[in-house]
Amino acid sequence: MSDLTNTAPKNSSFDRRSVLRAVAAAMAIPAVARATVAFAKDKLSGSGEVVVFGWGGSTTAAVRKNVFEPFTNATGIKVSDVTGDIAEPQVKAMNQAGRVDWDIAPIQASTYPAMSQAGMFVPIDYSLWDDESIEGVPKAVRLNDAFPVIQSGQVLAYDERVFGKNGPKTWADFWNVKAFPGPRGLYAPIGKFSIIPALLADGVAKTDIWPLTDDKIERAFKKLDEIKPHVTKWWTSGGESGQLLTNREYVMTTAYEATIIVLARQGAPLRMVWDNTPVNYTYWTVLKGGPNNENAQKLIAFVNRAKIAAAWTLSLPEPGPNVHQLQYLPSDLVPLLSISHPDSLIIEDSAWLGAMRPDGKTNYDHIQERWLAWRAR
């Protein structure tokens, strides 16, 4: 995702993983999240191990310390992690070879439907979840064979030094260069993150955004034509957006919430706007044919308990969907998280993005080709 070529993976995982590696070390973990969780001993106790894919660096180190070690202490099950940038290619290769070495893998929402239909995952055992987890995680996202371990939004972020308390409040304001003058930033590699704000700025209701039909795509690019001259630099990695904003090279930009969360909690004069924020999921899945499926189910149940969900969020910092975790998170962090603003989110229609068009391309591929061509003009 470092340039305008179409060599990036077909989702935002690679770039977001780089964000998480850079910011995880900056997050403080409260004592309640570090504690050994005695309540897991009965229902989730076991032996042996569970093999989990992670993204390496400070992200994996923080999750290991604040989630996996408490799980092992509470259950007796060891967590072994393998690391990389994206899991999907290896999951597909293992499935095709008939030899699956992992138990749990994170799968981007846009690639999940096809992999699920191919039978690569086993059903999630929700009977292991406690009542607090079931109540806190919306039924709509508790899929048969996956659940969101990360909910990630691309927000509108701005420099408070420029606008004070009268900063932009909507995507229409992002486009309003007369009322809010100054250089803008947009994300270069993936088009969907800019197409949605463009439609919102052009007056499309949030309930009418998905699916991104061809007429809506044309409408979005016409709107993007208006803002393109004011985009002084197209950011390509999550940390870059926050740095350029901090350095006054932007007055406002789109940005991953995790980037702005860390900078804001460190005292940077940056603000996020939760106005119809595009959000997508990263799912955790139990791999069919994995060596330790039973232990994988127990880890998933453990991670979704409210205190552990809070530890997970602090380790990344991107939240899972259990809203009960909010009571265990620092008060300054809670309003910065997407799960605190459910009415201000637009959840990605990942199934539509992965669906095939008559020309044999996915909707995602079609949008991406249009985006790269438009960027190159």
Side-chain angles (χ1 to χ4, degrees):
M1 292 190 181
S2 59
D3 54 37
L4 296 181
T5 64
N6 200 14
T7 58
K10 297 179 179 181
N11 50 61
S12 59
S13 64
F14 181 84
D15 179 63
R16 194 162 70 238
R17 298 295 75 78
S18 67
V19 179
L20 302 186
R21 290 192 188 101
V23 303
M27 304 302 287
I29 307 294
V32 66
R34 292 198 300 264
T36 298
V37 196
F39 53 69
K41 288 187 180 297
D42 294 332
K43 202 169 188 179
L44 304 182
S45 62
S47 61
E49 69 171 353
V50 54
V51 181
V52 183
F53 180 95
W55 298 293
S58 55
T59 300
T60 293
V63 170
R64 186 184 298 118
K65 178 180 179 181
N66 301 301
V67 178
F68 294 164
E69 288 181 8
F71 173 74
T72 298
N73 292 337
T75 66
I77 301 168
K78 176 185 175 183
V79 180
S80 299
D81 47 57
V82 294
T83 60
D85 288 317
I86 54 175
E88 286 88 343
Q90 295 180 73
V91 170
K92 292 176 182 178
M94 288 189 294
N95 183 269
Q96 292 170 0
R99 178 178 174 178
V100 179
D101 300 321
W102 308 344
D103 298 301
I104 294 176
I107 303 296
Q108 285 296 297
S110 57
T111 56
Y112 159 75
M115 295 176 72
S116 176
Q117 291 167 14
M120 296 185 189
F121 315 129
V122 301
I124 302 297
D125 185 358
Y126 290 107
S127 70
L128 294 174
W129 290 34
D130 64 358
D131 292 341
E132 191 177 42
S133 300
I134 293 292
E135 293 168 2
V137 178
K139 185 177 181 180
V141 302
R142 285 186 267 120
L143 306 183
N144 175 61
D145 58 359
F147 80 96
V149 72
I150 289 175
Q151 176 174 295
S152 177
Q154 254 202 37
V155 298
L156 192 170
Y158 67 91
D159 187 343
E160 194 177 39
R161 294 167 297 186
V162 176
F163 300 113
K165 297 186 181 300
N166 298 311
K169 295 179 174 59
T170 67
W171 290 112
D173 291 342
F174 188 94
W175 260 255
N176 190 343
V177 295
K178 291 184 178 180
F180 302 95
R184 267 65 166 164
L186 287 174
Y187 183 47
I190 298 179
K192 63 180 180 179
F193 292 116
S194 296
I195 286 173
I196 294 171
L199 289 172
L200 292 164
D202 203 42
V204 177
K206 64 179 291 187
T207 54
D208 294 331
I209 292 294
W210 294 99
L212 295 175
T213 53
D214 287 351
D215 61 319
K216 293 178 192 174
I217 293 171
E218 293 301 323
R219 181 172 176 176
F221 278 111
K222 287 181 180 178
K223 193 67 177 178
L224 285 163
D225 284 336
E226 297 176 13
I227 203 66
K228 192 175 186 181
H230 305 279
V231 178
T232 54
K233 185 174 177 61
W234 299 79
W235 58 274
T236 58
S237 67
E240 185 183 15
S241 62
Q243 193 63 51
L244 290 168
L245 196 57
T246 303
N247 292 348
R248 298 179 182 266
E249 294 185 56
Y250 295 150
V251 298
M252 66 181 75
T253 183
T254 56
Y256 287 117
E257 62 178 293
T259 300
I260 306 304
I261 283 172
V262 172
L263 292 172
R265 294 188 81 216
Q266 291 175 341
L270 310 182
R271 295 293 177 265
M272 289 190 292
V273 176
W274 292 101
D275 173 59
N276 296 331
T277 299
V279 167
N280 62 7
Y281 294 133
T282 299
Y283 291 112
W284 249 14
T285 59
V286 179
L287 303 184
K288 186 176 181 179
N292 309 285
N293 277 184
E294 183 178 348
N295 287 345
Q297 299 284 2
K298 292 177 179 179
L299 178 57
I300 283 176
F302 184 84
V303 167
N304 278 282
R305 288 180 161 168
K307 288 183 181 180
I308 306 306
W312 176 274
T313 295
L314 284 163
S315 298
L316 292 182
E318 288 183 310
N322 189 344
V323 295
H324 291 317
Q325 69 177 289
L326 295 175
Q327 61 187 303
Y328 301 109
L329 291 169
S331 59
D332 68 314
L333 174 60
V334 169
L336 303 179
L337 295 171
S338 55
I339 57 172
S340 296
H341 305 273
D343 296 333
S344 299
L345 308 179
I346 298 179
I347 305 299
E348 176 181 290
D349 188 345
S350 301
W352 181 85
L353 283 174
M356 289 291 178
R357 296 171 60 88
D359 61 3
K361 299 175 183 176
T362 66
N363 287 314
Y364 178 92
D365 289 336
H366 173 72
I367 291 172
Q368 211 36 26
E369 287 182 3
R370 289 290 318 278
W371 172 253
L372 294 172
W374 178 84
R375 283 274 292 111
R377 291 203 325 243

